Amino acid sequence: MSGNIELLNTTLAAAKAADRAALIAYLPAGFPTVDGGIEAVKAVVAGGADIVEVGLPHSDPVLDGPVIQTADDIALRGGVRIADVMRTVREAHEATGVPILVMTYWNPVDRYGVERFTAELAEAGGAGCILPDLPVQESALWREHAEKHGLATVFVVAPSSRDARLATITAAGSGFVYAASLMGVTGTRASVGAQAQNLVERTRATTDTPVCVGLGVSDAAQAAEVAGFADGVIVGSAFVKAMLDAPDEAAGLAAVRSLAGELAEGVRKR
């Protein structure tokens, strides 16, 4: 069965045709529970998210700040497994019809088996993977199987990436390029940072693939700012924090749906 890279491509193209950026939401699988995580994905899509990244909880999340680390810890203590991540992708995609990617560090994929992981993700209706710690020069095996199964391979670029390095990364990736707005870990911030626009411009000089910005976006004003120069706005910690701060799961779902609605309005005010 083929994955949904084409759905991802057409979703990003449709947002561009509507003269706006796409809203991409991140939520970890298994948080607060597996069922609760699936409901959270449905809630952000109901609020206005165009694309969802489902995080594969990891014990050493080098790119993630304390908010997502806390959620990952809750999911891991709850016993979440890769099978639960695949179930989250399958049920959330069937319920919403939007492209759903998995964001994961390389070690769990490597241990699970690249062929097995890509085949199962495609069968679940996944659109691809974001692999923040997989070096491009070591990615040939992953890309071979991802392409075979119709999955996007999304690499992360940073303000420190030199132009030649950007060209190498964008030539190897597909779906979109994940531009980290600043040097650091995920988390909500008062300002997204001027480095982000420069990074998007330098990345666009190397590719026609959409460039989406993440790290630090937490409200409608920041979403509107980033939407002014990026093809997509990625929000994760703000959604997770809304769930963590809620007194119960129902309130958490209402909070993430409301936040998605505000952010969706923001990306339309670019």
Side-chain angles (χ1 to χ4, degrees):
M1 182 173 176
S2 182
N4 272 314
I5 186 173
E6 284 308 315
L7 177 62
L8 176 64
N9 293 339
T10 56
T11 300
L12 288 164
K16 183 176 182 179
D19 193 31
R20 67 173 179 89
L23 175 60
I24 304 174
Y26 167 94
L27 290 162
F31 167 74
T33 62
V34 176
D35 288 341
I38 293 167
E39 292 304 313
V41 175
K42 295 179 187 176
V44 295
V45 174
D50 301 291
I51 298 164
V52 178
E53 301 173 8
V54 169
L56 194 161
H58 188 49
S59 57
D60 186 25
V62 294
L63 186 70
D64 294 312
V67 170
I68 291 176
Q69 286 185 24
T70 299
D72 277 4
D73 185 57
I74 291 169
L76 290 168
R77 284 191 283 112
V80 72
R81 295 290 183 265
I82 288 178
D84 299 311
V85 177
M86 298 299 178
R87 181 187 153 211
T88 299
V89 171
R90 176 182 291 104
E91 294 190 14
H93 174 65
E94 288 175 351
T96 66
V98 305
I100 298 184
L101 301 98
V102 169
M103 185 164 187
T104 178
Y105 295 97
W106 180 244
N107 183 259
V109 177
D110 190 37
R111 293 188 63 173
Y112 197 72
V114 174
E115 168 60 22
R116 181 184 177 195
F117 190 95
T118 51
E120 289 184 8
L121 182 56
E123 192 275 329
C129 250
I130 301 158
L131 299 154
D133 65 341
L134 177 62
V136 173
Q137 62 270 26
E138 298 174 19
S139 67
L141 178 66
W142 164 267
R143 287 187 286 122
E144 174 192 341
H145 288 290
E147 188 172 343
K148 180 172 79 171
H149 290 291
L151 299 168
T153 297
V154 178
F155 289 113
V156 178
V157 298
S160 60
S161 303
R162 296 181 181 273
D163 291 351
R165 178 70 176 163
L166 289 175
T168 300
I169 293 171
T170 58
S174 56
F176 64 90
V177 182
Y178 187 125
S181 66
L182 37 74
M183 301 303 293
V185 297
T186 58
T188 59
R189 290 176 171 84
S191 170
V192 177
Q195 290 177 312
Q197 184 167 0
N198 176 259
L199 176 59
V200 170
E201 290 170 356
R202 291 195 298 118
T203 304
R204 280 205 179 122
T206 71
T207 183
D208 292 328
T209 303
V211 183
C212 304
V213 170
L215 272 66
V217 179
S218 60
D219 60 33
Q222 290 173 334
E225 176 193 353
V226 173
F229 57 80
D231 299 296
V233 179
I234 303 168
V235 180
S237 294
F239 284 121
V240 176
K241 187 174 187 300
M243 293 283 287
L244 286 169
D245 290 348
D248 54 49
E249 188 175 307
L253 295 175
V256 295
R257 179 171 180 164
S258 176
L259 177 58
E262 293 168 19
L263 292 163
E265 195 174 323
V267 299
R268 286 164 172 79
K269 290 181 177 176
R270 54 194 301 173

